[in-house]
Amino acid sequence: NMGKILVIDDERAIRRALREILEFEEFEVDEAENGKEGLKLATTEHYDVIFCDIKMPEMDGMEVLDGILLAKVEAPLIMISGHGNIETAVQAIKKGAFDFIEKPLDLNRILVTIRNAKDRNVLIEEKKVLKKTVRKFKGGSIIGETDGINKIKEMIEKVAPSDARVLVTGQNGTGKELVARSLHDLSDRKGA
């Protein structure tokens, strides 16, 4: 299975054409025939890529995009645009859509766009892992592996995520500032 894709389009012919292309490429495909239904699926299921038509009655593609951004859905959104709404498609990308494809649908363009979107997903995942790793090592501004130092590092890791006020005491030159910085780096006190 290559992944799961959601197609949001009020035109049955477009949904069917996309489904055929995607299933041939071994994607699992869900369909929604209007924006409301599409947004509901997008926010409750996990998709690797979402296709959404710009022009739909009731809830159009731009509103779906707003809803998806608001719900912090991570799947890249690819807008489907007709002749008259390329400008809207560009607008959508500025807002946060990943890309757009034009009708009539072009097989190669669709596949390239999906590949790019999936590459982006991989990058986002890697970035998350990196951030975690960096967070672990940030406390590494304290160097040393003695029992005392390791105890301090452990304590910092325990206390940092909480909102508790921390008083760091010790004589001059014992590294209070390093402890404070590590606490700060490992906590959500970034804004503080």
Side-chain angles (χ1 to χ4, degrees), residues 47-186:
Y47 295 101
D48 295 287
V49 180
I50 299 171
F51 283 92
C52 181
D53 202 333
I54 289 177
K55 251 191 134 135
M56 294 185 289
E58 289 175 48
M59 188 182 214
D60 68 11
M62 293 303 268
E63 291 173 276
V64 173
L65 171 62
D66 286 338
I68 280 176
L69 292 173
L70 200 68
K72 293 193 167 38
V73 172
E74 280 187 4
L77 188 63
I78 298 167
M79 309 305 284
I80 304 168
S81 99
H83 283 309
N85 48 23
I86 296 289
E87 274 174 31
T88 315
V90 172
Q91 216 45 57
I93 289 173
K94 282 184 182 159
K95 256 187 168 178
F98 176 71
D99 204 347
F100 71 93
I101 55 172
E102 291 175 66
K103 291 186 267 197
L105 300 178
D106 168 344
L107 174 71
N108 284 329
R109 171 90 175 110
I110 289 168
L111 298 182
V112 167
T113 309
I114 290 175
R115 195 172 316 127
N116 291 343
K118 287 187 75 180
D119 285 348
R120 165 190 172 271
N121 290 356
V122 170
L123 281 174
I124 286 176
E125 280 310 308
E126 283 174 0
K127 194 172 156 192
K128 273 191 200 150
V129 172
L130 266 175
K131 267 192 171 158
K132 266 200 187 116
T133 314
V134 167
R135 255 205 305 274
K136 267 213 186 89
F137 284 111
K138 264 236 176 118
S141 52
I142 298 177
I143 300 161
E145 289 298 329
T146 65
D147 286 348
I149 294 274
N150 283 337
K151 264 209 188 92
I152 289 176
K153 284 183 184 172
E154 266 171 41
M155 211 190 286
I156 290 172
E157 272 174 31
K158 254 190 218 131
V159 179
S162 80
D163 281 332
R165 283 169 176 244
V166 181
L167 178 65
V168 183
T169 60
Q171 289 171 326
N172 267 352
T174 49
K176 294 188 293 292
E177 190 193 323
L178 281 178
V179 171
R181 190 177 309 145
S182 294
L183 272 168
H184 187 75
D185 286 343
L186 286 166

Side-chain angles (χ1 to χ4, degrees), residues 26-45:
E26 299 191 357
F27 285 100
E28 199 184 317
V29 181
D30 281 351
E31 294 178 28
E33 56 183 3
N34 59 56
K36 265 204 177 86
E37 191 189 325
L39 187 56
K40 192 175 166 196
L41 279 171
T43 50
T44 52
E45 298 278 328

